[in-house]
């Protein structure tokens, strides 16, 4: 079973040389720490920055320089700043190659719910609806089951949707799964020490298992 | 046809002296009235018009509809106007950092309309670019699409979203000149330029007010034509919402 | 009767302090020379400049700095440069206070034709259609009659239109006229030495004459 | 939730080295094929991609549809491609300075679609901003509106115009870095940034190619994400179409 860092590590392997990547809040933010050293990647922050760098050194933080999670960050050589309209313009125009975000639920047809729980205070969707509606390559980083022990990989989402037919891949503490174009979670890899049976038990939606499922290498 | 090859005799100091400078935040906001719709620049607490927010609190104008990506925190930013119950409605994409906001919302004192961040930005831009509507896929298949026109272009569904119609846009820039030209710094740019374009009247507060000619024409983010009033703000706190650092 | 400079001089009196003004090619360009010295005006060039200055001194021309008529120009303190999308954005959003342009024909309901003569090579409308469709205050600078001696102020335009219901005022070598919201050319001023009778003869569309018509002061 | 407060270990030279530099115009345009649609930046002869136009003439690719505000003059700019009959169709707002253009048009060899300048610019921007259509009042009541959807918003009629769909956008910038970030100079900016956003593949030729970090992030007009190939051009003529001067 993977911890959060492990999920982030595994997702980092999906990032290819030359990608522009948008990382959501939570586990996705951790992915930046594990981008392979031999590839070139630019991180987009949807408040209006390409080329997000690491957190500043203590005392060097700049109130005018934050990421979409409102954290103080730095710029790197080659960074560019733009307004929020252009930022979502490049997202809608599919210039961002990969979007990694968290979710509360994903359905077997790729719907995602991650912004609202009825009866609870709703904080807002931020840029998530824009990202999932336009991105061509969306990976969800999340726990396989919620705190109540219920599967988050469903045949149909029960929570209000953020977007439809958009998630391409899911990485959880248990497994890596593709969401197939015709529906269904195709099991690709097991987390170290996790059995196919455990994944079956934790997956409420249609799970597709073909042949031997390898243990992931992270 | 004559292409104006005769002597063009106007001189520089004749032409460009449209002085939009006001004395400060109080004068800039003096005609903002109860019930008006305001756009307020900034993302989180980054790049917010601190001086104008303070002046609005002081003035006590009420029943405002505020279009702003966030709602500040309890004791800073738009949070200050929420505390004094001056805001009737917030139009935002994310309002998560504010306990008083939550209390007013749950008690029904405050109305909130949550819209996707890109839709928010693009509806501002549409106003500034004279486009009545824009089409975006954000929110298709979700409750955001309810009651809105959905239209398919090239096999993909889009929502029709209207340009905003705000009485005032209030923005914060790094530098500005007396003609209203603005330059922003780093990610404090965020919504400020698109809102600056979108107000019927646009107020800009700047950290440094300079003379025309001091800003490089190629570096100006918001041309002065969009700005009606400008002043040099003071005592900027520039509070950091989430200080994250690494060790040396 | 006015010459071209005279028309430009008369139009310049319509420009008010604090105006952003777009000047078309031809007579409108000359207007810049006669803007009163005691008012502040910014000229917009729709290729992407606010704050157009005079022509450069010989030897100081810059190939990267031209106006919408493709002439070498200069910038002034306070100028700003932007791309063509923003340029027409501010035009559509009615941020430009006054547009002055030439015309081949104007109709009594404010339609304008100035881009195409059937049977002749069509060069294009450039930015004229955008300007007339959005500007709230449009003054046409033109000759009252064409080279064949036919009136250019018509009840209905015969040439392909550039825009409809948009012209607010016309200044010709003979007269200053308002285009009334309900239709009709209202005669406001006669050019020096020109009689109302001459203006009547040169105007094919509905001409409205009320009371004494003063001679213009330029 | 964890907000990534753990050490973020990536280093600057790891992250931002997306090298988009090609050897020159010939390599940049090598996969442009007969019948493709190209956007070409510039207004008149100001800010045109001289090197790429020369390479296109040399390559001899034919049957092109060219989206460009103007069509150059007889012996410069797109005029050079017209002379060699490489252009099947021009989409422009004004094509007045070109005798060969006129001859080909009248003889039926060349097709031309004239569209308002603001519509041209905004259809580029729409492509770059992922907006399938825009609404503009330009052309309402004229022959430009024929066959197009007209829609009334707030009492005013607008035409629906589609985003452009171009195989390549070819632009000229003043400075650019190896990651494709671009800075334009004075009114040579014109259509270049909006076209740079709009191409499926965008080629930028620049007067000066610099290293990442040499351009101020706040001054970049076109972020590198929109640019796929970049090179430092040579022998810029920068011809002036209408030299107008005044006496000292």
């Amino acid at each position: 079973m993977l911890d959060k860092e492990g999920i982030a590590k595994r997702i980092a392997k999906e990032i290819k040389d030359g990608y522009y990547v948008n990382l959501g809040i939570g586990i996705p933010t951790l992915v930046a720490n594990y981008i392979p050293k031999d590839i070139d990647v630019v991180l987009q922050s949807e408040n209006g920055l390409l080329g997000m760098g690491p957190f500043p050194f203590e005392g060097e933080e700049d109130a005018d320089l934050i990421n979409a999670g409102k954290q103080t960050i730095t710029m790197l050589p080659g960074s560019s700043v733009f307004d929020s309209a252009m930022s979502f313009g490049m997202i809608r125009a599919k210039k961002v190659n990969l979007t990694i975000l968290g979710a509360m639920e994903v359905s077997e047809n790729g719907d995602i719910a991650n912004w609202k729980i009825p009866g609870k205070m709703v904080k807002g969707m931020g840029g998530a609806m824009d990202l999932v509606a336009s991105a061509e390559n969306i990976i969800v980083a999340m726990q396989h089951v919620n705190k109540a022990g219920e599967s988050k990989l469903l045949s149909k989402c029960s929570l209000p949707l953020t977007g439809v037919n958009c998630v391409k891949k899911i990485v959880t503490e248990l497994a890596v799964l593709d969401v197939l174009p015709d529906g269904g979670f195709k099991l690709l890899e097991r987390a170290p020490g996790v059995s196919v049976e455990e994944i079956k038990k934790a997956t409420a939606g249609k799970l597709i298992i073909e042949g031997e499922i390898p243990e992931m290498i992270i | 046809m004559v292409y104006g090859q005769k002597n063009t005799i106007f001189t520089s100091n004749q032409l460009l002296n449209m002085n939009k400078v006001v004395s400060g935040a109080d004068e800039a906001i003096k005609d903002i009235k109860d019930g008006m719709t305001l756009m307020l620049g900034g993302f989180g607490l980054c790049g917010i018009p601190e001086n104008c927010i303070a002046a609005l609190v002081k003035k006590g104008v009420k029943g405002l509809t505020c279009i702003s990506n966030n709602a500040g925190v309890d004791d800073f930013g738009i949070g200050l106007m929420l505390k004094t119950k001056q805001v009737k409605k917030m139009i935002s994409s994310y309002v998560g950092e504010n306990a008083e906001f939550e209390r007013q919302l749950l008690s029904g004192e405050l109305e909130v309309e949550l819209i996707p961040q890109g839709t928010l930005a693009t509806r501002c831009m549409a106003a500034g670019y004279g486009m009545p509507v824009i089409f975006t896929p954000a929110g298709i298949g979700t409750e955001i699409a309810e009651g809105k026109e959905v239209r398919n272009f090239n096999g993909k569904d889009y929502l029709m979203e209207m340009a905003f119609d705000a009485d005032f846009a209030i923005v914060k820039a790094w530098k500005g000149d007396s003609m209203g030209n603005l330059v922003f710094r780093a990610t404090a740019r965020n919504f400020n330029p698109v809102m600056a374009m979108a107000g019927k009247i646009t107020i800009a507060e700047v950290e440094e007010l300079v003379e025309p000619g001091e800003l490089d024409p190629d570096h100006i983010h918001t041309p002065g034509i969009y700005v009606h009033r400008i002043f040099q703000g003071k005592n900027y706190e520039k509070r950091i919402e989430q200080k994250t650092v690494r060790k040396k």
Side-chain angles (χ1 to χ4, degrees), chain B residues 47-62:
Chain B
I48 61 173
E50 296 183 19
N51 280 243
C52 282
I53 289 171
L56 285 165
V57 169
K58 189 172 129 200
K59 183 177 162 77
V61 60
K62 292 215 185 303

Side-chain angles (χ1 to χ4, degrees), chain B residues 3-4 6-8 10 14-18 20 129 181 217:
Chain B
Y3 284 84
K6 311 229 170 151
N7 278 355
T8 306
F10 49 76
Q14 177 202 333
L15 264 190
L16 298 186
N17 258 321
M18 305 191 135
K20 298 175 178 182
Y129 275 21
N181 294 302

Side-chain angles (χ1 to χ4, degrees), chain A residues 18-20 25-26 32-33 35 40-42 55 71 76-78 81 92:
Chain A
Y19 266 16
Y20 291 90
I25 289 169
N33 298 327
I35 296 169
D40 294 334
V41 171
V42 172
F55 298 141
Q71 301 171 308
L76 296 171
V81 180
R92 272 198 308 269

Side-chain angles (χ1 to χ4, degrees), chain B:
Chain B
M1 257 207 238
V2 177
Y3 284 84
Q5 285 93 341
K6 311 229 170 151
N7 278 355
T8 306
I9 57 166
F10 49 76
T11 61
S12 74
N13 68 344
Q14 177 202 333
L15 264 190
L16 298 186
N17 258 321
M18 305 191 135
N19 195 331
K20 298 175 178 182
V21 178
V22 295
S23 57
D26 292 331
E27 186 186 346
I29 64 146
K30 68 177 189 298
D31 47 357
I32 294 182
K33 295 191 174 59
D34 289 357
M36 279 188 166
T37 297
L38 312 184
M39 285 178 171
L40 293 125
F43 177 86
L45 301 179
C46 180
I48 61 173
E50 296 183 19
N51 280 243
C52 282
I53 289 171
L56 285 165
V57 169
K58 189 172 129 200
K59 183 177 162 77
V61 60
K62 292 215 185 303
L64 300 171
T65 295
C66 291
I67 302 168
S68 184
N69 190 61
N70 311 91
V73 294
D74 276 317
D75 60 346
F76 205 59
I78 294 176
L80 296 170
M81 294 163 65
L82 289 164
K83 216 183 229 172
T84 47
K85 301 188 181 169
Q86 296 176 265
V87 182
K88 184 184 70 177
K89 181 177 179 180
M90 279 299 312
I91 300 176
S92 303
S93 88
Y94 192 80
V95 292
E97 300 88 355
N98 198 311
E100 172 64 14
F101 182 98
E102 189 166 344
R103 194 199 61 70
Q104 288 185 25
L105 180 62
L106 295 176
S107 72
E109 292 166 68
L110 178 69
E111 196 183 337
V112 65
E113 185 181 341
L114 293 169
I115 59 179
Q117 193 173 337
T119 302
L120 185 70
T122 315
R123 287 175 67 186
C124 292
M125 187 183 78
Y129 275 21
M131 305 190 293
V133 297
I134 55 109
F135 282 88
T136 175
I140 284 289
T142 77
E143 63 182 56
I144 296 301
E146 281 166 25
K148 288 182 186 153
E149 179 173 327
V150 175
R151 189 156 169 173
N152 191 287
F153 295 102
N154 309 313
K156 189 174 169 84
D157 282 339
Y158 294 83
L159 280 185
M160 188 170 84
E161 298 276 7
M162 308 296 291
F164 279 124
D165 184 17
D167 298 302
F168 282 82
I170 304 175
V171 304
K172 152 79 172 31
W174 181 41
K175 292 185 180 182
D177 68 25
S178 56
M179 292 174 61
N181 294 302
L182 304 179
V183 171
F184 302 91
R185 182 172 175 275
T187 59
R189 194 181 319 180
N190 57 61
F191 284 85
N192 281 301
V194 285
M195 288 183 170
M197 295 190 301
K200 281 201 199 74
I201 296 176
T202 292
I203 298 167
E205 55 174 90
V206 299
E207 290 183 54
E208 192 184 343
L209 185 65
V210 302
E211 290 299 311
E214 289 188 49
L215 303 175
D216 185 327
D218 288 337
H219 297 164
I220 289 168
H221 298 123
T222 299
I225 194 171
Y226 284 115
V227 176
H228 303 88
R229 300 171 192 172
I230 190 166
F231 66 94
Q232 182 167 311
K234 50 190 177 189
N235 306 324
Y236 281 106
E237 183 178 337
K238 297 177 83 168
R239 197 186 291 187
I240 290 174
E241 205 164 338
Q242 289 208 42
K243 182 175 147 179
T244 45
V245 296
R246 60 182 161 147
K247 294 233 167 64
K248 281 212 189 185

Side-chain angles (χ1 to χ4, degrees), chain A residues 4-5 17-20 25-27 29-30 32-44 49-55 69 71 75-83 85-93 95-97:
Chain A
K4 283 172 180 175
E5 299 286 341
D17 196 23
Y19 266 16
Y20 291 90
I25 289 169
I27 299 174
T29 303
L30 302 175
N33 298 327
Y34 302 106
I35 296 169
K37 289 210 192 309
D38 57 344
I39 65 170
D40 294 334
V41 171
V42 172
L43 301 181
Q44 197 233 22
L49 177 67
L50 276 166
M52 181 166 54
F55 298 141
Q71 301 171 308
M75 289 198 248
L76 296 171
S79 283
S80 57
V81 180
F82 33 87
D83 65 48
M86 180 180 266
S87 186
F88 285 92
M90 65 182 66
I91 287 168
R92 272 198 308 269
K95 302 293 176 183
V96 177
N97 305 101

